Structures are given as structure tokens and as C-alpha cells.
């Protein structure tokens, strides 16, 4: 059996030329993941194009700053793991609902207070909360996250939701070609070819897509060279109802971060994150969410697709990811640079994303498998997965419930909340402890 390329490790910094190339892969995936957040919220609440541009600039600036804070760290803040922190999709639906009803200034206030409350609670009660979120719970969250993201990956492969050519066989062939090139380079490529497989696949398939008229470069020429992000452009206002809703979602979203930190540590060094890394990552997420609120944006969360990309390429160096953060921050003041990344056809990005999401799914499975489950924990994992996945597959089943309830019961929040409640209700007994001891 041939040896699998492990790439560059967590604290290893590649030569600058290679660091730039590997970071481009991270930038492309991150930009495609975060750009839809301000676009969807802005369109959903009826903002003008110029106002949406302000949201986009703030989103990119925050993603860049947050990623640098998470990977390099400042004092106790930062997990110092290869994790991109980005504006979260979890808050898009609440942003549209609350922004339409109360105004974007009220939603901004809710995001700010919710981020502060979550940061304070997790900082003061970190040990207690960490004990509550056992590895099998975070593993379940990561697994559900991977499953839920696969639908996004497939949507990208088909051309992007709402596209006129959605489902066009050419789109699916472009996505398949991207996946095949990546897999071949990862399996048989040596050194650079293996580590830069995603970027090579994107370049080759983008050139091929041009032959089918799927590559449109006009947006690059139309973008401006400079744009300054504007803090609190829409003002800020506080309302108790939205604050409670967003605070709960912020708290639950951090379970996703803990799961992604487990994935990043597992992919980097085949271990779970230390208490210091976990607490530092939570602090970085809380601080960056507060900054994000000040720039009219939603709270941040870890970029699962970027973590999956680390697993695909074997390049888990946090310095590569931190450079990606620097470039993304620069993109916030240089729209033309951002446009270069955004012209890549959705099907090609879908090929990369789908592979990365699959890696995240398997990573969650590995965390669960390494937890040495007892019958009690197997029950908790099984029921929580069923609830989160089930409701996300049949969202209409929650149509009679208020918005906040449906948000907490499906997908990642539903899995996390169910697992937490069951772990509190189903107490461990001596039989469970004995079985774990025998297995060890």
C-alpha cells in the first residue's frame, strides 16, 4: 500500500511560495461560503445594491480578522488550529425574519448582545460546559453538519440554487471532473501535486468550463478597486425578543465550533483539542462575533468546508489558513480582488465543497467511534442524530411552531439540544463506567 501524503503539520510553516498557493485554496472556499450570507440577508429584507455592498465588505473584513485571531491567537484568545472563522449561515434565516419585522438595526443589536452573553457565559463556565459537551456529542454535531452541508454541495454542483441552468448535465460533469482530478492527484500525486490538488482542479476545470460558456469574467471589470467597510451603517437598536432568539442560537452554535475544533485537531494531529485550545477558540469566536455585529453582520462560526479541505490536501498548517485570513480582509477593501475568486463557476466549487463536506462527515464519525460508546451514549447519539437530521429533511413538520422553536429543533441545533437534554436526563451508572474500564 502506498504511503499517504500528510502535507504540512499544524505548527509547520511551508516556504512562502507554497504557503501562498495553498492559502489560495482556502481563500476560494471561504469566499464562496461567506459571500452568500450578506447577499441573502440583504436581498431578503429588501436592501439596495449599494447597501448590500456594505454588508459584503463588512462580512469579508470580519472573516479575515476572525480567521487571523483564531489561527495565530492574541493572548488567551484563539485555538491556534487551522480554522477559518466566518459569518455563519445559521443566522441567515433569522436575519431575514427579524430584519424584515424589526429592521436591520434591531437585528444588529440582537447579534451584539447575543454574542456578548454567549462569550461571558462560555468564559465563566467553560469547564462545566465542556464537561457537558462530551466528544460523542460534538462528534454527532459534526456528523449532522457534514450531512446537512452535503445538500449545499450538491446544489453547487448542479449550478447553484436559483440558477437558470440549475441541473444542467454540463454542470454535473464539471463538478464530477473537479472531484476526479482532486482524487487522482491526492492518490497518485507527489508533494505539490497532492497538496495543491484543489487549486489545480479548479484551474483546469475553470478553463474547460469556458469552452461551454460557463465562465463569465465581466464582473471583474465592473468592480471598484477600493471600498471602505462602514461600521454600524444601519444603526443599532435593542429589543428583548430578538435578543433572546439570537442569544440561544449563538449559544447552540458554539457546539458546532467545538465539533469543528475536534475535527481540526483530529485531522492535524489525530487527537482531541486541549482545554486551552477549546477555551481560546471559543473566546476568538465570541470576540469576532462582537466585531461582526459592529460591522452590520451576523455572529461568526468555524468554516467546516475549509477544515475538510485541510483533510483532503493534508496541509493542516495554521499559518496557511492565517494567510488566507489576511487576503480575505484585504478583499474587503478591494472588491476587484474578491471578484477574481467569485467568478469561479459554482459546479467547480461544488466539486471541491462536496469532497470537503464528506471529509467533515467522516471526521464526525471518527470522533464518535473513538468515544467508546456505552449503551446509554449510543442511545443519546442515535436519538439526537435522528431528531436533527429528521427535522432538517422535513422542515414542514415544524410549520405550526414559532420561528425560534423550529430553528432549535432541526439540523445542528436540534442534534446538539437533544443530545444535551438526553445526557442530563439519562444519568450515567456504575455499569456504564465498568464497561468503559473493561474496554480500555
Amino acid at each position: 500500500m502506498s504511503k499517504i501524503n500528510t502535507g504540512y503539520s499544524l505548527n509547520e510553516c511551508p516556504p512562502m511560495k507554497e504557503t501562498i498557493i495553498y492559502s489560495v485554496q482556502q481563500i476560494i472556499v471561504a469566499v464562496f461560503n461567506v459571500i452568500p450570507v450578506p447577499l441573502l440577508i440583504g436581498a431578503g429584507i429588501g436592501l439596495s445594491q449599494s447597501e448590500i455592498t456594505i454588508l459584503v465588505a463588512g462580512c469579508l473584513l470580519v472573516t479575515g480578522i476572525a480567521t487571523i485571531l483564531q489561527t495565530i491567537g492574541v493572548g488567551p484568545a484563539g485555538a491556534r488550529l487551522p480554522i477559518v472563522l466566518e459569518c455563519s449561515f445559521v443566522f441567515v434565516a433569522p436575519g431575514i425574519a427579524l430584519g424584515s419585522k424589526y429592521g436591520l438595526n434591531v437585528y444588529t443589536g440582537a447579534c451584539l448582545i447575543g454574542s456578548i452573553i454567549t462569550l461571558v457565559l462560555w468564559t465563566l463556565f467553560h469547564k462545566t460546559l465542556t464537561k457537558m459537551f462530551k466528544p460523542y456529542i460534538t462528534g454527532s454535531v459534526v456528523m449532522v453538519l457534514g450531512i446537512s452541508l452535503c445538500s449545499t454541495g450538491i446544489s453547487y454542483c448542479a449550478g447553484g440554487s436559483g440558477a437558470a441552468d440549475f441541473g444542467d448535465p454540463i454542470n454535473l460533469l464539471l463538478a464530477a471532473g473537479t472531484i476526479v482530478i482532486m482524487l487522482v492527484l491526492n492518490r497518485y500525486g507527489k508533494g505539490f501535486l497532492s497538496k495543491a490538488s484543489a487549486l489545480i482542479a479548479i484551474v483546469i476545470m475553470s478553463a474547460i468550463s469556458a469552452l461551454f460558456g460557463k465562465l463569465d469574467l465581466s464582473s471583474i471589470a465592473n468592480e471598484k478597486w477600493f471600498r471602505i467597510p462602514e461600521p454600524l451603517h444601519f444603526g443599532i437598536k435593542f429589543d428583548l425578543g430578538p435578543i433572546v432568539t439570537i442569544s440561544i442560537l449563538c449559544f447552540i452554535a458554539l457546539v458546532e465550533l467545538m465539533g469543528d475544533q475536534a475535527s481540526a485537531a483530529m485531522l492535524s494531529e489525530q487527537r482531541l483539542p486541549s482545554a486551552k485550545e477549546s477555551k481560546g477558540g471559543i473566546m476568538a469566536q465570541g470576540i469576532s462575533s462582537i466585531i461582526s455585529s459592529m460591522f452590520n453582520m451576523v455572529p461568526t462560526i468555524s468554516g467546516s468546508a475549509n477544515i475538510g479541505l485541510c483533510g483532503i490536501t493534508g496541509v493542516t498548517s495554521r499559518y496557511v489558513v492565517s494567510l488566507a485570513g489576511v487576503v480575505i480582509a484585504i478583499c474587503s477593501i478591494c472588491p476587484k480582488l474578491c471578484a477574481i475568486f467569485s467568478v469561479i463557476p459554482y459546479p467547480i466549487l461544488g466539486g471541491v465543497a462536496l469532497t470537503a463536506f464528506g471529509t467533515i462527515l467522516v471526521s464526525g464519525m471518527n470522533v464518535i467511534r473513538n468515544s467508546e460508546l456505552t449503551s446509554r451514549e449510543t442511545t443519546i447519539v442515535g436519538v439526537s442524530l435522528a431528531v436533527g437530521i429528521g427535522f432538517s429533511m422535513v422542515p414542514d413538520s415544524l410549520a405550526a411552531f414559532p420561528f425560534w422553536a423550529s430553528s432549535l429543533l432541526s439540523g445542528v441545533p436540534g442534534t446538539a439540544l437533544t443530545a444535551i437534554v438526553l445526557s442530563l436526563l439519562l444519568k450515567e451508572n456504575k455499569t456504564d463506567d465498568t464497561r468503559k474500564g473493561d474496554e480500555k
Side-chain angles (χ1 to χ4, degrees):
M1 184 180 290
S2 61
K3 186 177 179 181
I4 298 174
N5 241 321
T6 55
Y8 290 99
S9 61
L10 176 62
N11 293 306
E12 189 176 2
C13 185
M16 182 52 67
K17 288 183 180 179
E18 292 187 46
T19 299
I20 293 172
I21 293 172
Y22 301 147
S23 68
V24 169
Q25 300 177 129
Q26 295 285 345
I27 295 164
I28 292 171
V29 172
V31 167
F32 263 89
N33 274 342
V34 301
I35 286 295
V37 174
L39 295 181
L40 289 172
I41 292 177
I45 62 178
L47 296 182
S48 65
Q49 188 59 49
S50 61
E51 289 174 322
I52 292 176
T53 299
I54 293 171
L55 292 184
V56 171
C59 178
L60 293 174
L61 178 64
V62 168
T63 296
I65 293 173
T67 298
I68 297 169
L69 178 62
Q70 184 72 299
T71 53
I72 301 300
V74 177
R80 293 165 174 81
L81 291 170
I83 297 175
V84 169
L85 277 183
E86 59 190 27
C87 295
S88 175
F89 253 106
V90 172
F91 298 92
V92 170
I96 295 173
L98 297 176
S100 299
K101 183 176 181 179
Y102 297 96
L104 196 57
N105 56 346
V106 171
Y107 182 61
T108 297
C111 289
L112 177 61
I113 300 302
S115 299
I116 293 173
I117 290 173
T118 304
L119 176 60
V120 171
L121 287 177
W122 275 91
T123 302
L124 292 178
F125 304 105
H126 180 260
K127 287 186 178 180
T128 302
L129 292 171
T130 301
K131 288 179 181 178
M132 185 185 299
F133 298 111
K134 301 290 180 64
Y136 64 85
I137 294 180
T138 57
S140 300
V141 168
V142 172
M143 186 174 171
V144 170
L145 179 64
I147 293 172
S148 62
L149 287 173
C150 283
S151 61
T152 301
I154 291 294
S155 177
Y156 280 8
C157 290
S161 181
D165 62 348
F166 187 81
D168 187 336
I170 297 297
N171 290 338
L172 298 175
L173 287 174
L174 290 173
T178 304
I179 294 173
V180 169
I181 292 173
M182 288 176 61
L183 294 180
V184 169
L185 290 177
N186 271 304
R187 183 66 180 85
Y188 301 106
K190 301 290 185 181
F192 173 80
L193 290 178
S194 176
K195 297 167 193 157
S197 59
L199 180 60
I200 294 171
I202 288 170
V203 171
I204 293 174
M205 294 310 298
S206 292
I208 292 175
S209 70
L211 300 177
F212 296 96
K214 300 286 187 178
L215 185 65
D216 183 9
L217 303 178
S218 61
S219 61
I220 298 177
N222 295 333
E223 282 288 359
K224 297 178 180 179
W225 277 106
F226 295 103
R227 170 182 57 206
I228 305 298
E230 299 179 35
L232 295 180
H233 175 81
F234 302 95
I236 189 167
K237 190 177 179 181
F238 305 101
D239 189 290
L240 183 59
I243 288 174
V244 171
T245 301
I246 297 302
S247 295
I248 295 173
L249 287 175
C250 283
F251 190 86
I252 297 297
L254 270 179
V255 183
E256 180 182 328
L257 172 65
M258 293 181 69
D260 277 341
Q261 287 183 154
S263 294
M266 189 69 71
L267 290 170
S268 301
E269 298 185 339
Q270 291 298 301
R271 62 174 176 81
L272 292 174
S274 66
K276 182 178 179 181
E277 288 171 332
S278 177
K279 188 173 183 179
I282 289 169
M283 288 184 67
Q285 193 274 344
I287 293 169
S288 61
S289 291
I290 292 171
I291 296 172
S292 184
S293 302
M294 299 302 292
F295 279 91
N296 320 292
M297 263 289 101
V298 302
T300 60
I301 198 61
S302 45
S304 302
N306 291 86
I307 297 172
L309 183 60
C310 289
I312 294 170
T313 62
V315 180
T316 58
S317 168
R318 61 192 178 101
Y319 299 106
V320 169
V321 180
S322 66
L323 180 59
V326 172
V327 176
I328 293 171
I330 293 173
C331 285
S332 70
I333 62 174
C334 184
K336 198 173 286 289
L337 179 59
C338 181
I340 295 174
F341 297 112
S342 62
V343 297
I344 299 169
Y346 269 93
I348 295 171
L349 178 73
V352 177
L354 193 62
T355 310
F357 295 154
T359 302
I360 289 295
L361 171 59
V362 173
S363 178
M365 293 170 60
N366 286 335
V367 173
I368 295 173
R369 185 184 62 184
N370 293 335
S371 298
E372 299 177 342
L373 301 182
T374 63
S375 58
R376 165 188 173 271
E377 292 160 355
T378 300
T379 300
I380 293 172
V381 170
V383 174
S384 61
L385 288 174
V387 170
I389 296 171
F391 279 126
S392 64
M393 293 178 67
V394 193
D396 290 344
S397 61
L398 297 171
F401 287 79
F403 175 78
W404 63 266
S406 60
S407 298
L408 293 177
L409 286 174
S410 64
V412 169
T415 298
L417 196 58
T418 303
I420 293 167
V421 172
L422 290 179
S423 65
L424 293 174
L425 293 177
L426 304 177
K427 301 294 184 182
E428 285 188 279
N429 55 42
K430 292 183 179 179
T431 305
D432 293 327
D433 294 337
T434 302
R435 287 177 183 173
K436 277 196 173 183
D438 292 340
E439 288 172 358
K440 290 178 181 178

